[in-house]
């Protein structure tokens, strides 16, 4: 029988007030607002309906989900004690936050933002265009998620702040890329609606590979968490690892599942409109 509690406990209350200001999320928030706010105000002056207040709130909520965990007690719990806490931090940074950001900048806001947000040189612009091809986006997302969860690299990032920041940045970029494919905020039409549905399903099942590997594990994979003498709330390494897989599965079910439902409803609506048009 697998023990649920370790011998040495650290109280959750002992880190509950451990808020801290990290340079990386602070720079991210300031930079994102410096790009978004002027573009939002320009679009709103031209056409208030194209930039309603809800878009600004969505953008702010996305930034809060991305940067907030990195300066909160959740960051302390994830870096020092629990893989499950670190997983929650990562899925907010790499999935839920980017989803809200992309939803916030749909339509004219996307066209207003892109020239200013991405002042790239021609070779870099060509690479960005290649990465935004749906198969390349999916492959890049799988590679980023998979490689950073290799135990040796994962533990190394925990011990190296610069590498840890790079990990977070790659999660954020990969998350933004997949949500651009699924939402198509600029109406570029890289994927037709059925293609976006298939893409969403592919992302979900790719994520479940890692989630299942954690949920159905029989020994701890990550020495940085397994070899601790003290455990937050007394949670054992194996229970913590399985909880991390459950956290990832639930978060992806919520975000990708909602996206899939919306796309399927839109597909049904379009089919009904075509059918009614033929009848008329």
């Amino acid at each position: 029988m697998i023990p649920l509690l370790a011998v040495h406990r650290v109280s959750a209350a002992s880190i509950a007030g451990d808020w801290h200001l990290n340079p990386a999320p602070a720079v991210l928030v300031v930079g994102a607002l410096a790009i978004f706010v002027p573009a939002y105000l320009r679009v709103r002056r031209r056409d208030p309906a194209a930039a309603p207040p809800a878009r600004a709130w969505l953008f702010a909520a996305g930034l809060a989900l991305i940067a907030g965990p990195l300066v909160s007690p959740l960051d302390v719990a994830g870096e020092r004690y629990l893989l499950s806490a670190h997983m929650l931090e990562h899925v907010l940074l790499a999935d839920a936050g980017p989803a809200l950001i992309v939803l916030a900048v749909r339509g004219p806001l996307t066209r207003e933002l892109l020239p200013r947000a991405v002042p790239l040189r021609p070779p870099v612009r060509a690479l960005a265009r290649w990465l935004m091809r749906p198969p390349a986006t999916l492959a890049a997302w799988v590679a980023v998620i998979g490689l950073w969860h290799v135990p040796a690299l994962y533990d190394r990032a925990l011990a190296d702040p610069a590498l840890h920041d790079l990990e977070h940045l790659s999660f954020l970029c990969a998350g933004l890329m997949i949500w651009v494919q699924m939402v198509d905020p600029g109406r570029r039409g890289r994927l037709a609606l059925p293609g976006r549905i298939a893409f969403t399903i592919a992302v979900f099942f790719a994520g479940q590979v890692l989630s299942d590997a954690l949920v159905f594990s029989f020994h701890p994979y990550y020495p940085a968490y397994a070899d601790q003498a003290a455990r937050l709330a007394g949670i054992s390494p194996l229970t913590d690892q399985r909880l991390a897989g459950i956290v990832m599965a639930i978060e992806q079910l919520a975000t990708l599942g909602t996206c899939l439902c919306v796309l399927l409803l839109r597909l049904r609506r379009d089919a009904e409109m075509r059918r009614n048009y033929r009848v008329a």
Side-chain angles (χ1 to χ4, degrees), residues 6-10 228-235:
V7 175
H8 304 292
R9 298 190 182 192
V10 175
Q228 295 174 359
R231 306 294 305 174
L232 185 63
I235 301 174

Side-chain angles (χ1 to χ4, degrees), residues 77 79 113 128 157 169 177 246 279:
E79 289 198 11
L113 281 165
L169 179 61
M177 287 166 56
I246 292 171
V279 170

Side-chain angles (χ1 to χ4, degrees), residues 142-256:
V142 169
V144 166
I145 299 300
L147 286 174
W148 283 115
H149 284 89
V150 171
L153 188 56
Y154 196 94
D155 285 1
R156 176 68 182 274
L158 282 172
D160 185 333
L163 191 61
H164 205 180
D165 287 342
L166 178 62
E167 177 189 38
H168 289 166
L169 179 61
S170 64
F171 282 154
L172 174 59
C173 291
L176 289 170
M177 287 166 56
I178 62 164
W179 279 100
V180 165
Q181 299 291 357
M182 293 184 290
V183 174
D184 191 16
R187 301 296 182 261
R188 298 293 182 89
R190 294 184 182 91
L191 287 171
L193 191 52
R196 288 158 65 189
I197 291 170
F199 188 93
T200 303
I201 293 171
V203 171
F204 177 77
F205 280 106
Q208 292 314 292
V209 173
L210 174 60
S211 173
D212 288 349
L214 297 173
V215 171
F216 299 106
S217 56
F218 292 98
H219 62 86
Y221 298 146
Y222 301 96
Y225 294 105
D227 296 342
Q228 295 174 359
R231 306 294 305 174
L232 185 63
I235 301 174
S236 73
L238 187 55
T239 300
D240 175 34
Q241 186 166 280
R242 291 173 173 174
L243 285 173
I246 292 171
V247 166
M248 183 176 185
I250 291 175
E251 190 278 339
Q252 287 205 317
L253 185 62
T255 54
L256 297 175

Side-chain angles (χ1 to χ4, degrees), residues 4-86:
L4 294 179
L5 298 178
V7 175
H8 304 292
R9 298 190 182 192
V10 175
S11 168
S14 67
I15 64 168
D18 201 346
W19 292 81
H20 48 281
L21 182 61
N22 287 337
V27 170
L28 171 67
V29 169
V30 171
L33 289 175
I35 294 170
F36 175 79
V37 172
Y40 173 81
L41 293 176
R42 284 193 297 269
V43 173
R44 187 164 176 79
R45 280 195 296 267
R46 292 198 302 265
D47 181 8
R55 297 294 187 87
W57 286 111
L58 271 177
F59 191 86
L63 275 185
L65 287 182
I66 291 168
L70 299 176
V71 300
S72 74
L74 181 63
D75 185 61
V76 177
E79 289 198 11
R80 297 182 189 173
Y81 301 109
L82 295 177
L83 177 65
S84 53
H86 210 182

